[in-house]
Amino acid sequence: MKHKQYLPLTFSLAAIGLLFTGCATEVKQADPKASQVINASQISPQEWAQAADKLINSLLSSGVLDRAPQLPSIMGVSRIINNTQQQVDTDSLVKKLRVALNQTGKVITTTTIGLGGKAEDPLAKEAAEYNAAMSGEKASVTMPYWTLSGKLLEDRVVSGKNTQVTYTFQLSLTQVKTGLAQWEGEEQISKVATRPGVSW
Amino acid sequence: MKIASMKLLPTAVFAVLVFTAGCATTNVNSVERADPQARPNFIADKRIITDASLAGKVKILAVNEGKVSGDHLKIQVRVENNRSKTISVRYRVEWVDAQGMMLPTPTDLWKPLIMQGREQGVIEAVAVSPLAVDFVVKIQET
């Protein structure tokens, strides 16, 4: 008799337990090398990296990097302007490019010369200055042979229920001595989103 | 009986039209030099098929290999969409050094490739590392 009394309570607890199980957020590991979520209004880091890879292919195919008088040549990273509507970590994007360019063995990036006099690695800059002061020599800075600059752009075209968004990644490699862009590349990623006929 | 079948004719014609419209092709026509001046360096390749359906849809025609920027391996895999409608696949190129070790790069990712009906496309990649001597091209249907 007492057991029967507890029966509804047991069922209620089981039902609540099932309910919470159903509400649990499903999480699974994703391949960081693949874009598994496609969103027309946003561009994923993987998609920027895809564009970056194609730009590196283009830069290597051009043979421009071999024109430097000594290899590996020094490259400084200039400004990457983000003209898209979304927040893009341009430093992270540039880092991918830098790592890949470094792997070519043709370019090394300076971390003590940056835009507006700001060093990416201030400690390295200070240490070099300190060493120079201690040895009584004038501090010398190795100037870059190349600078890398770029721009991220976004264009939207709407026609009826369809919206086409085109993201453009532009890069320029400038020879510091002449101030001329020796190589320029552009990659585009285009997406079309269709609005549903009935919106709730 | 004859009148009944005549009544059904417009319905049948309409059905055929709807069916044909739904299967509209996006085939690509092209023109090129009859006697190409380019001399590609096509290499012998080994294919590992685990998705027979994809192999039927996307045909690998040839693999062209060359060197850029002195010592960097460059490949172009010519592929063809065997179907009469647009196909979307993704591919990834992995590079291998002389010891058979994979050479990972931060931009080594799955990339999309969209081909119109019966269109030929190119999967192109340049090895970032000059140590690359071999490659593996992976293709997957999306």
Side-chain angles (χ1 to χ4, degrees), chain A residues 31-36 46 49-50 52-54 56-57 60-61 63 66 96 99-101 103-104 106, chain B residues 68-72 74 90-92 104-112 124-130:
Chain A
D31 182 1
K33 299 279 184 186
S35 277
Q36 288 173 355
Q46 287 83 5
Q50 287 164 8
D53 186 61
K54 287 183 179 174
I56 289 166
N57 284 358
L60 281 174
S61 298
D66 296 296
K96 287 188 198 310
V99 173
L101 286 172
Q103 286 179 347
T104 64
K106 296 181 190 294
Chain B
V68 293
S69 198
D71 45 3
H72 292 261
K74 177 176 181 172
R90 57 182 180 179
Y91 68 92
R92 184 175 174 189
T105 65
T107 54
D108 148 36
L109 302 155
W110 285 97
K111 298 178 190 72
E124 184 184 282
V126 177
V128 162
S129 171

Side-chain angles (χ1 to χ4, degrees), chain B residues 22-55:
Chain B
C23 299
T25 61
T26 57
N27 284 4
V28 171
N29 294 342
S30 59
V31 62
E32 60 188 74
R33 190 199 286 270
D35 175 27
Q37 301 297 297
R39 294 285 172 262
N41 176 32
F42 292 130
I43 57 165
D45 60 76
K46 184 176 84 176
R47 296 166 195 188
I48 301 156
I49 309 294
T50 58
D51 183 347
S53 162
L54 176 63

Side-chain angles (χ1 to χ4, degrees), chain B residues 111-132:
Chain B
K111 298 178 190 72
L113 176 70
I114 297 161
M115 284 184 288
Q116 305 299 320
R118 303 280 170 187
E119 189 189 19
Q120 285 191 13
V122 168
I123 292 172
E124 184 184 282
V126 177
V128 162
S129 171
L131 302 173

